[in-house]
Short mmCIF file of all heavy atoms in Angstrom, two decimals:
data_model
loop_
_atom_site.label_atom_id
_atom_site.label_comp_id
_atom_site.label_asym_id
_atom_site.label_seq_id
_atom_site.Cartn_x
_atom_site.Cartn_y
_atom_site.Cartn_z
N LYS A 107 -17.17 22.07 -7.30
CA LYS A 107 -17.85 23.09 -8.15
C LYS A 107 -18.28 22.48 -9.48
O LYS A 107 -19.38 22.71 -9.96
CB LYS A 107 -16.91 24.27 -8.42
CG LYS A 107 -16.77 25.17 -7.22
CD LYS A 107 -16.22 26.55 -7.62
CE LYS A 107 -16.00 27.38 -6.37
NZ LYS A 107 -14.67 27.20 -5.77
N LYS A 108 -17.39 21.67 -10.06
CA LYS A 108 -17.72 21.04 -11.36
C LYS A 108 -18.93 20.12 -11.20
O LYS A 108 -19.82 20.08 -12.05
CB LYS A 108 -16.53 20.23 -11.88
CG LYS A 108 -15.38 21.10 -12.34
CD LYS A 108 -14.23 20.25 -12.83
CE LYS A 108 -13.02 21.13 -13.10
NZ LYS A 108 -11.81 20.38 -13.35
N LEU A 109 -18.95 19.38 -10.10
CA LEU A 109 -20.07 18.45 -9.89
C LEU A 109 -21.37 19.21 -9.67
O LEU A 109 -22.43 18.82 -10.18
CB LEU A 109 -19.77 17.53 -8.70
CG LEU A 109 -18.66 16.51 -8.95
CD1 LEU A 109 -18.29 15.79 -7.67
CD2 LEU A 109 -19.07 15.50 -10.03
N THR A 110 -21.30 20.31 -8.93
CA THR A 110 -22.49 21.14 -8.73
C THR A 110 -22.98 21.62 -10.09
O THR A 110 -24.18 21.62 -10.38
CB THR A 110 -22.16 22.36 -7.83
OG1 THR A 110 -21.55 21.87 -6.65
CG2 THR A 110 -23.40 23.13 -7.47
N GLY A 111 -22.03 22.00 -10.96
CA GLY A 111 -22.37 22.53 -12.28
C GLY A 111 -23.15 21.55 -13.15
O GLY A 111 -23.93 21.97 -13.99
N VAL A 112 -22.90 20.26 -12.98
CA VAL A 112 -23.63 19.29 -13.81
C VAL A 112 -24.81 18.67 -13.04
O VAL A 112 -25.41 17.70 -13.49
CB VAL A 112 -22.72 18.17 -14.38
CG1 VAL A 112 -21.78 18.73 -15.41
CG2 VAL A 112 -22.00 17.42 -13.28
N GLY A 113 -25.12 19.23 -11.88
CA GLY A 113 -26.31 18.80 -11.15
C GLY A 113 -26.15 17.46 -10.44
O GLY A 113 -27.15 16.74 -10.26
N CYS A 114 -24.91 17.14 -10.02
CA CYS A 114 -24.72 15.91 -9.22
C CYS A 114 -25.40 16.15 -7.85
O CYS A 114 -25.36 17.25 -7.32
CB CYS A 114 -23.22 15.67 -9.04
SG CYS A 114 -22.85 14.16 -8.17
N HIS A 115 -26.05 15.12 -7.33
CA HIS A 115 -26.83 15.34 -6.11
C HIS A 115 -25.99 15.21 -4.84
O HIS A 115 -26.29 15.87 -3.85
CB HIS A 115 -28.00 14.34 -6.06
CG HIS A 115 -28.90 14.49 -7.24
ND1 HIS A 115 -28.72 13.78 -8.41
CD2 HIS A 115 -29.97 15.29 -7.45
CE1 HIS A 115 -29.65 14.12 -9.29
NE2 HIS A 115 -30.41 15.05 -8.74
N ALA A 116 -25.00 14.33 -4.87
CA ALA A 116 -24.19 14.15 -3.65
C ALA A 116 -22.75 13.85 -4.01
O ALA A 116 -22.48 13.15 -4.99
CB ALA A 116 -24.77 13.02 -2.80
N LEU A 117 -21.85 14.41 -3.22
CA LEU A 117 -20.42 14.11 -3.35
C LEU A 117 -20.00 13.36 -2.09
O LEU A 117 -20.18 13.86 -0.98
CB LEU A 117 -19.62 15.40 -3.50
CG LEU A 117 -18.10 15.31 -3.26
CD1 LEU A 117 -17.45 14.34 -4.24
CD2 LEU A 117 -17.46 16.69 -3.38
N PHE A 118 -19.46 12.17 -2.30
CA PHE A 118 -18.91 11.41 -1.18
C PHE A 118 -17.40 11.58 -1.22
O PHE A 118 -16.75 11.07 -2.15
CB PHE A 118 -19.31 9.93 -1.32
CG PHE A 118 -18.78 9.04 -0.23
CD1 PHE A 118 -18.74 9.47 1.10
CD2 PHE A 118 -18.32 7.75 -0.52
CE1 PHE A 118 -18.25 8.65 2.11
CE2 PHE A 118 -17.84 6.92 0.49
CZ PHE A 118 -17.81 7.37 1.80
N ALA A 119 -16.88 12.32 -0.28
CA ALA A 119 -15.43 12.58 -0.25
C ALA A 119 -14.90 12.16 1.12
O ALA A 119 -14.64 13.00 1.98
CB ALA A 119 -15.16 14.06 -0.51
N PRO A 120 -14.77 10.85 1.33
CA PRO A 120 -14.38 10.37 2.66
C PRO A 120 -12.94 10.77 2.98
O PRO A 120 -12.10 10.83 2.10
CB PRO A 120 -14.49 8.85 2.52
CG PRO A 120 -14.31 8.57 1.06
CD PRO A 120 -14.88 9.77 0.35
N ARG A 121 -12.70 11.05 4.24
CA ARG A 121 -11.33 11.39 4.65
C ARG A 121 -10.46 10.14 4.58
O ARG A 121 -9.31 10.20 4.22
CB ARG A 121 -11.33 12.01 6.04
CG ARG A 121 -12.02 13.36 6.01
CD ARG A 121 -11.95 14.07 7.34
NE ARG A 121 -12.56 15.39 7.18
CZ ARG A 121 -13.86 15.64 7.23
NH1 ARG A 121 -14.72 14.64 7.46
NH2 ARG A 121 -14.34 16.85 7.07
N ASP A 122 -11.04 9.02 4.95
CA ASP A 122 -10.29 7.77 4.84
C ASP A 122 -11.28 6.61 4.76
O ASP A 122 -12.40 6.71 5.27
CB ASP A 122 -9.39 7.58 6.06
CG ASP A 122 -8.18 6.74 5.68
OD1 ASP A 122 -8.18 6.14 4.59
OD2 ASP A 122 -7.24 6.67 6.49
N LEU A 123 -10.86 5.54 4.11
CA LEU A 123 -11.77 4.39 4.02
C LEU A 123 -11.11 3.11 4.55
O LEU A 123 -11.67 2.04 4.42
CB LEU A 123 -12.24 4.19 2.58
CG LEU A 123 -13.33 5.16 2.11
CD1 LEU A 123 -13.70 4.92 0.66
CD2 LEU A 123 -14.58 5.04 3.00
N TYR A 124 -9.92 3.24 5.10
CA TYR A 124 -9.27 2.06 5.69
C TYR A 124 -9.09 2.34 7.18
O TYR A 124 -8.87 3.49 7.58
CB TYR A 124 -7.91 1.82 5.03
CG TYR A 124 -8.05 1.41 3.57
CD1 TYR A 124 -8.00 2.35 2.56
CD2 TYR A 124 -8.28 0.08 3.22
CE1 TYR A 124 -8.17 1.99 1.23
CE2 TYR A 124 -8.44 -0.30 1.88
CZ TYR A 124 -8.38 0.67 0.90
OH TYR A 124 -8.54 0.30 -0.42
N ALA A 125 -9.16 1.26 7.96
CA ALA A 125 -9.06 1.40 9.41
C ALA A 125 -7.77 2.13 9.78
O ALA A 125 -6.70 1.81 9.28
CB ALA A 125 -9.08 0.01 10.04
N ARG A 126 -7.91 3.14 10.64
CA ARG A 126 -6.73 3.91 11.06
C ARG A 126 -6.25 3.46 12.44
O ARG A 126 -5.14 3.74 12.85
CB ARG A 126 -7.07 5.39 11.16
CG ARG A 126 -6.95 6.07 9.82
CD ARG A 126 -7.41 7.49 9.88
NE ARG A 126 -7.02 8.14 8.64
CZ ARG A 126 -6.02 9.00 8.54
NH1 ARG A 126 -5.31 9.34 9.58
NH2 ARG A 126 -5.72 9.54 7.38
N SER A 127 -7.16 2.81 13.16
CA SER A 127 -6.74 2.32 14.48
C SER A 127 -7.21 0.88 14.60
O SER A 127 -8.00 0.42 13.78
CB SER A 127 -7.37 3.19 15.57
OG SER A 127 -8.76 3.21 15.37
N GLY A 128 -6.72 0.22 15.60
CA GLY A 128 -7.09 -1.19 15.78
C GLY A 128 -6.32 -2.05 14.80
O GLY A 128 -5.35 -1.61 14.20
N PRO A 129 -6.80 -3.28 14.62
CA PRO A 129 -6.06 -4.19 13.73
C PRO A 129 -6.03 -3.66 12.30
O PRO A 129 -6.95 -2.95 11.89
CB PRO A 129 -6.87 -5.49 13.79
CG PRO A 129 -7.96 -5.28 14.76
CD PRO A 129 -8.02 -3.84 15.15
N PRO A 130 -4.97 -3.98 11.55
CA PRO A 130 -4.87 -3.45 10.19
C PRO A 130 -5.89 -4.08 9.25
O PRO A 130 -6.42 -5.17 9.52
CB PRO A 130 -3.45 -3.84 9.76
CG PRO A 130 -3.11 -5.01 10.62
CD PRO A 130 -3.87 -4.85 11.91
N HIS A 131 -6.12 -3.41 8.14
CA HIS A 131 -7.00 -3.94 7.09
C HIS A 131 -6.39 -5.23 6.53
O HIS A 131 -5.23 -5.22 6.14
CB HIS A 131 -7.12 -2.89 5.98
CG HIS A 131 -7.99 -3.31 4.85
ND1 HIS A 131 -9.31 -2.93 4.76
CD2 HIS A 131 -7.75 -4.10 3.79
CE1 HIS A 131 -9.84 -3.46 3.68
NE2 HIS A 131 -8.92 -4.17 3.06
N GLU A 132 -7.15 -6.30 6.48
CA GLU A 132 -6.55 -7.54 5.95
C GLU A 132 -7.49 -8.32 5.03
O GLU A 132 -7.27 -9.50 4.77
CB GLU A 132 -6.03 -8.43 7.09
CG GLU A 132 -7.09 -8.88 8.06
CD GLU A 132 -6.57 -9.96 9.01
OE1 GLU A 132 -5.74 -10.76 8.60
OE2 GLU A 132 -7.05 -9.97 10.16
N THR A 133 -8.54 -7.66 4.54
CA THR A 133 -9.50 -8.36 3.67
C THR A 133 -9.45 -7.77 2.28
O THR A 133 -9.54 -6.55 2.12
CB THR A 133 -10.93 -8.21 4.26
OG1 THR A 133 -10.89 -8.65 5.61
CG2 THR A 133 -11.93 -9.04 3.48
N TRP A 134 -9.30 -8.64 1.28
CA TRP A 134 -9.11 -8.17 -0.09
C TRP A 134 -10.04 -8.90 -1.04
O TRP A 134 -10.38 -10.05 -0.82
CB TRP A 134 -7.66 -8.40 -0.54
CG TRP A 134 -6.70 -7.72 0.37
CD1 TRP A 134 -6.03 -8.27 1.42
CD2 TRP A 134 -6.34 -6.34 0.36
NE1 TRP A 134 -5.26 -7.32 2.06
CE2 TRP A 134 -5.43 -6.12 1.42
CE3 TRP A 134 -6.69 -5.25 -0.46
CZ2 TRP A 134 -4.88 -4.87 1.69
CZ3 TRP A 134 -6.13 -4.02 -0.19
CH2 TRP A 134 -5.24 -3.84 0.87
N VAL A 135 -10.40 -8.21 -2.11
CA VAL A 135 -11.22 -8.83 -3.16
C VAL A 135 -10.31 -9.02 -4.37
O VAL A 135 -9.63 -8.09 -4.79
CB VAL A 135 -12.40 -7.91 -3.54
CG1 VAL A 135 -13.24 -8.54 -4.65
CG2 VAL A 135 -13.27 -7.62 -2.31
N ASP A 136 -10.29 -10.22 -4.89
CA ASP A 136 -9.38 -10.55 -6.00
C ASP A 136 -10.16 -11.18 -7.14
O ASP A 136 -10.78 -12.22 -6.94
CB ASP A 136 -8.35 -11.56 -5.48
CG ASP A 136 -6.95 -11.15 -5.81
OD1 ASP A 136 -6.78 -10.36 -6.76
OD2 ASP A 136 -6.03 -11.63 -5.13
N VAL A 137 -10.14 -10.56 -8.30
CA VAL A 137 -10.68 -11.20 -9.51
C VAL A 137 -9.48 -11.85 -10.18
O VAL A 137 -8.55 -11.14 -10.58
CB VAL A 137 -11.37 -10.16 -10.41
CG1 VAL A 137 -11.83 -10.78 -11.72
CG2 VAL A 137 -12.56 -9.52 -9.68
N THR A 138 -9.47 -13.16 -10.27
CA THR A 138 -8.20 -13.84 -10.55
C THR A 138 -7.77 -13.81 -12.01
O THR A 138 -6.65 -13.42 -12.31
CB THR A 138 -8.25 -15.30 -10.06
OG1 THR A 138 -9.43 -15.90 -10.61
CG2 THR A 138 -8.29 -15.37 -8.56
N ASP A 139 -8.65 -14.20 -12.94
CA ASP A 139 -8.17 -14.42 -14.31
C ASP A 139 -8.14 -13.16 -15.17
O ASP A 139 -7.18 -12.93 -15.90
CB ASP A 139 -9.01 -15.51 -14.99
CG ASP A 139 -8.67 -16.88 -14.40
OD1 ASP A 139 -7.85 -16.93 -13.46
OD2 ASP A 139 -9.22 -17.89 -14.88
N LEU A 140 -9.20 -12.36 -15.09
CA LEU A 140 -9.26 -11.16 -15.94
C LEU A 140 -8.15 -10.16 -15.60
O LEU A 140 -7.93 -9.21 -16.32
CB LEU A 140 -10.62 -10.47 -15.82
CG LEU A 140 -11.80 -11.11 -16.53
CD1 LEU A 140 -13.07 -10.28 -16.31
CD2 LEU A 140 -11.55 -11.25 -18.03
#
Side-chain angles (χ1 to χ4, degrees):
K107 284 199 184 88
K108 290 179 188 170
L109 290 171
T110 307
V112 291
C114 183
H115 301 90
L117 164 60
F118 179 40
R121 293 185 176 83
D122 208 348
L123 283 178
Y124 293 94
R126 275 174 169 254
S127 55
H131 180 97
E132 61 169 327
T133 306
W134 303 96
V135 179
D136 230 338
V137 175
T138 52
D139 288 3
L140 284 181

